Amino acid sequence: MLMKARKTMNAAAHASSKEEGVPVSVRIRERVKAARKRFHANDNIADFIEPGELEKLLDEVSDKMEAVLDSLVIDTENDHNTGDTARRVAKMYVNEVFKGRYVQGPEVTEFPNAEHLNELMIVGPITVRSACSHHFCPVIGKIWIGVMPNEHTNVIGLSKYARLAEWIMGRPQIQEEAVIQLADLIQHKTQPDGLAIVMEASHYCMAWRGVKDMDSKMINSVMRGVFLKDANLRREFLSLIPGRG
Ligand SMILES: [Zn+2]
């Protein structure tokens, strides 16, 4: 346990360098602020993290998570189940479920639309995993993406849509904002005539706590370009989504 080991370190060793006394989260936050960028829960801050800092951030989150367990009056020293929980939770946040905040977006190669595809293309269902910004409870569901290409639209591989979605959803999110962020990203990468996204997800903050409703799902959508203007196209897209027609 990192924190307990650290408590025994002598003060002189701790104060060896002034930089060391500043938590890495503070250094990162200062860079973000200096650049006048936002660092909301669903923002990506990878540009402000220097090599090696993510490991230090993991240590910091781990220490603070240990403090949360202490405040919950859990005997992590003697309880064999929770001895490493702080570190596990820190790893889960930083390296897994919220990774989309801390790492650069996936490499996506765009190709010119050589075949001049101009038919509605639908990708999905793509399974998405996220967590709500309000409670940090899981949000798990599916998305469908409809793309109406034109001859200038860039083409990206089908699996890339899933990688882009994973990056956006790997942050504490609000479903309405998540689909807009994903739409902006796909729009930017592919420049289609139209883009439609439907997301259907279960919010575990409503199942595990709160109203304890196990079955409610939230569905929302974003429509861009021709999907906004053309009701028939919109209907066609929605009718082609299995179970959602
Ligand atoms: Zn919630």
Side-chain angles (χ1 to χ4, degrees), residues 131-139 173-174 203-206 209:
C132 76
S133 291
H134 298 145
H135 304 92
F136 280 15
C137 280
V139 173
Q173 277 289 8
I174 295 301
H203 289 243
Y204 284 72
C205 57
M206 287 173 68
R209 54 159 298 287

Side-chain angles (χ1 to χ4, degrees), residues 211-229:
V211 293
K212 300 193 176 75
D213 182 343
M214 301 303 291
D215 300 316
S216 76
K217 285 190 169 145
M218 179 174 168
I219 301 166
N220 68 338
S221 63
V222 209
M223 300 284 161
R224 299 262 171 95
V226 285
F227 285 95
L228 272 183
K229 292 173 213 140

Side-chain angles (χ1 to χ4, degrees), residues 8-153:
T8 63
M9 268 172 73
N10 70 45
H14 226 108
S16 60
S17 111
K18 211 177 173 196
E19 267 283 274
E20 231 157 66
V22 181
V24 66
S25 66
V26 173
R27 293 206 293 272
I28 296 168
R29 187 159 45 225
E30 254 141 42
R31 284 178 214 133
V32 182
K33 281 182 169 171
R36 295 173 185 275
K37 295 282 187 200
R38 232 176 61 155
F39 54 106
H40 289 188
N42 59 5
D43 288 327
N44 178 278
I45 54 164
D47 284 346
F48 305 98
I49 302 173
E50 289 177 1
E53 283 187 337
L54 214 49
E55 290 72 33
K56 287 187 193 133
L57 198 65
L58 183 65
D59 291 343
E60 184 184 329
V61 175
S62 190
D63 284 358
K64 290 189 171 161
M65 202 60 223
E66 189 73 52
V68 171
L69 292 170
D70 285 346
S71 294
L72 289 169
V73 200
I74 293 172
D75 183 2
T76 56
E77 248 166 291
N78 295 301
D79 173 10
H80 54 280
N81 293 320
T82 53
D84 287 322
T85 296
R87 182 108 196 134
R88 276 190 219 104
V89 173
K91 269 190 179 161
M92 178 179 77
Y93 283 164
V94 177
N95 294 344
E96 297 174 286
V97 298
F98 300 152
K99 189 180 172 186
R101 298 195 76 227
Y102 305 108
V103 301
Q104 298 288 355
E107 284 292 331
V108 173
T109 318
E110 298 119 53
F111 304 97
N113 183 358
E115 307 288 326
H116 297 297
L117 304 168
N118 62 354
E119 296 285 321
L120 171 62
M121 183 183 86
I122 298 176
V123 190
I126 297 170
T127 300
V128 291
R129 294 170 192 82
S130 192
C132 76
S133 291
H134 298 145
H135 304 92
F136 280 15
C137 280
V139 173
I140 296 182
K142 291 176 167 45
I143 55 167
W144 291 263
I145 301 167
V147 180
M148 193 68 200
N150 65 40
E151 56 188 301
H152 305 294
T153 298

